[in-house]
């Protein structure tokens, strides 16, 4: 589905000489219009990708199938998408492997779901939970569009409408990885801990520092996980032209924070963190979760 001649129903990506991009699904008998004239979809259907085509007004376009990283930033959206740089970090740092059973909440517009389905392969499974029906509908269409399944569900994907905190315990399923892309991931931590196999990984995708702090401290209070790791990634392009080599004028800056932790075996606890907290870290102004061994540190200490 991602090689061979272009077929009706597939998305294509046209790029002009100025780098402007156009994405659309191929339909027999339909025309694409731009400020450089029009071209017929039938001129593209049946050809191998990687060619140039000229519009009625002389505009030249490069024609390829969109990569997954290109598809997700241009797909129809119900909710904000997980950007490719973060999806790549999740797949790598949460160690999504072929054959894994991954649980995802929520599904948003299906961007991360596509990356997870690719990573687990034909013998893996992705179970997604989404509270909002309108988001689930958009995700179904986007996942079906990218994988060429149309209205048929992806064979490795199960989408459940509901709250993971309620539905996952009810299912009785065990899984290898859990990805929490939601406003309050700490509310699902107990359900995630019960469903994760020992050594499994929970990964939270959150937008703000307050969300990150609340989730990290909740993981510590739970006690059934290793010390959480939190980070973000920034991507900056570069201009390269002969001796003119410099940072580009644009970059993909902050999109979200990622937090990961590994599940301990039943009844086991990770060694306590021995490093002294920073002054004021858990002072009188701190109102979040507090592990039993977290001291209250005075700012003048």
């Amino acid at each position: 589905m991602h090689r061979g001649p272009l077929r009706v129903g597939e998305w294509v990506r046209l790029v002009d000489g100025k780098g402007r991009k156009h994405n659309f699904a191929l339909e027999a008998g339909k025309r694409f219009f731009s400020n450089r004239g029009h071209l017929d979809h039938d001129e593209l259907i049946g050809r191998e990708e990687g060619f140039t085509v000229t519009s009625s007004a002389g505009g030249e376009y490069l024609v390829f199938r969109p990569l997954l990283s290109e598809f997700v930033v241009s797909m129809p959206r119900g909710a904000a998408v997980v950007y490719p740089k973060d999806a790549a970090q999740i797949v790598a740092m949460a160690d999504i492997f072929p054959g894994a059973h991954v649980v995802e909440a929520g599904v948003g517009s299906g961007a991360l779901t596509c990356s997870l389905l690719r990573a687990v392969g034909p013998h893996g499974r992705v179970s997604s939970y989404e509270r909002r029906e309108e988001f689930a509908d958009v995700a179904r269409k986007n996942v079906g569009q990218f994988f060429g399944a149309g209205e048929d569900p992806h064979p490795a994907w199960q989408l459940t409408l509901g709250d993971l905190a309620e539905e996952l315990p009810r299912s009785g399923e065990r899984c290898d990885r859990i990805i929490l892309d939601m406003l309050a991931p700490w509310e699902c931590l107990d359900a995630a801990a019960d469903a994760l196999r020992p050594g499994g990984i929970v990964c939270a995708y959150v937008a703000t520092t307050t969300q990150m702090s609340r989730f990290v401290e909740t993981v510590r209070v739970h006690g059934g996980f290793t010390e959480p790791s939190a980070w973000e990634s920034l991507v900056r392009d570069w201009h390269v032209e002969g001796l003119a080599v410099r940072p580009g004028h644009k970059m993909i800056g902050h999109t979200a924070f990622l937090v990961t932790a590994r599940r301990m075996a039943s009844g086991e606890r990770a060694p306590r963190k021995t490093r002294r907290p920073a002054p004021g870290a858990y002072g009188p102004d701190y109102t979040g979760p507090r592990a039993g061994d977290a001291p209250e540190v005075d700012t003048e200490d």
Side-chain angles (χ1 to χ4, degrees):
M1 62 187 153
H2 292 291
R3 62 167 68 99
L6 298 173
R7 296 183 288 274
V8 172
E10 284 192 295
W11 272 43
V12 292
R13 183 177 180 91
L14 272 58
V15 183
D16 67 15
K18 292 187 176 181
R20 290 175 294 209
K21 305 168 183 67
H22 307 273
N23 302 275
F24 56 86
L26 291 172
E27 298 181 37
K30 196 169 182 179
R31 278 183 171 176
F32 162 76
F33 293 89
S34 74
N35 60 353
R36 300 302 304 275
H38 68 266
L39 58 88
D40 295 322
H41 288 208
D42 292 341
E43 294 181 46
L44 314 181
I45 296 170
R47 296 184 65 178
E48 294 277 359
E49 61 181 316
F51 61 92
T52 58
V53 64
T54 304
S55 68
S56 60
E60 282 195 325
Y61 294 93
L62 186 63
V63 183
F64 278 97
R65 289 183 176 91
L67 303 174
L68 174 56
S69 59
E70 296 168 337
F71 176 78
V72 298
V73 296
S74 61
M75 62 165 53
R77 300 185 185 187
V81 301
V82 174
Y83 267 74
K85 73 179 183 68
D86 295 318
Q89 289 274 301
I90 290 170
V91 169
M93 303 305 287
D95 194 38
I96 311 297
F97 58 90
H101 178 197
V102 180
V103 168
E104 173 195 26
V107 73
S109 296
L112 179 60
T113 309
C114 290
S115 293
L116 296 176
L117 285 167
R118 266 196 169 177
V120 302
H123 303 296
R125 193 152 55 101
V126 175
S127 301
S128 301
Y129 293 83
E130 175 56 56
R131 294 176 177 177
R132 299 179 59 172
E133 187 170 4
E134 63 269 28
F135 290 171
D137 290 340
V138 171
R140 286 190 192 97
K141 292 176 183 177
N142 285 334
V143 172
Q145 176 67 61
F146 182 74
F147 287 101
E151 297 298 322
D152 298 324
H154 190 289
W157 187 38
Q158 178 182 345
L159 176 56
T160 300
L161 193 63
D163 190 336
L164 176 140
E166 299 173 0
E167 300 296 334
L168 185 56
R170 191 175 299 155
S171 72
E173 289 192 310
R174 302 298 301 281
C175 60
D176 303 296
R177 306 287 186 263
I178 294 183
I179 315 299
L180 302 175
D181 173 14
M182 54 201 308
L183 288 174
W186 51 86
E187 294 178 354
C188 294
L189 190 63
D190 286 338
D194 291 341
L196 274 173
R197 296 184 174 94
I201 297 174
V202 62
C203 175
Y205 174 93
V206 292
T208 69
T209 55
T210 52
Q211 289 173 302
M212 175 175 62
S213 175
R214 177 73 178 270
F215 184 74
V216 166
E217 297 297 347
T218 303
V219 171
R220 287 177 176 148
V221 169
H222 184 278
F225 292 89
T226 58
E227 174 67 13
S229 175
W231 76 97
E232 67 173 332
S233 63
L234 311 175
V235 176
R236 181 174 68 180
D237 68 327
W238 278 71
H239 172 89
V240 180
E241 192 175 63
L243 296 178
V245 181
R246 55 171 174 74
H249 295 306
K250 61 181 180 180
M251 69 178 295
I252 303 175
H254 173 74
T255 50
F257 299 104
L258 295 172
V259 182
T260 57
R262 297 195 74 177
R263 183 70 169 105
M264 299 292 293
S266 178
E268 297 290 329
R269 296 180 70 91
R272 291 197 310 171
K273 185 178 178 182
T274 57
R275 183 176 61 83
R276 180 178 172 82
Y282 297 99
D285 292 333
Y286 177 74
T287 59
R290 185 192 299 272
D293 58 344
E296 187 166 320
V297 181
D298 189 85
T299 54
E300 297 179 358
D301 197 14

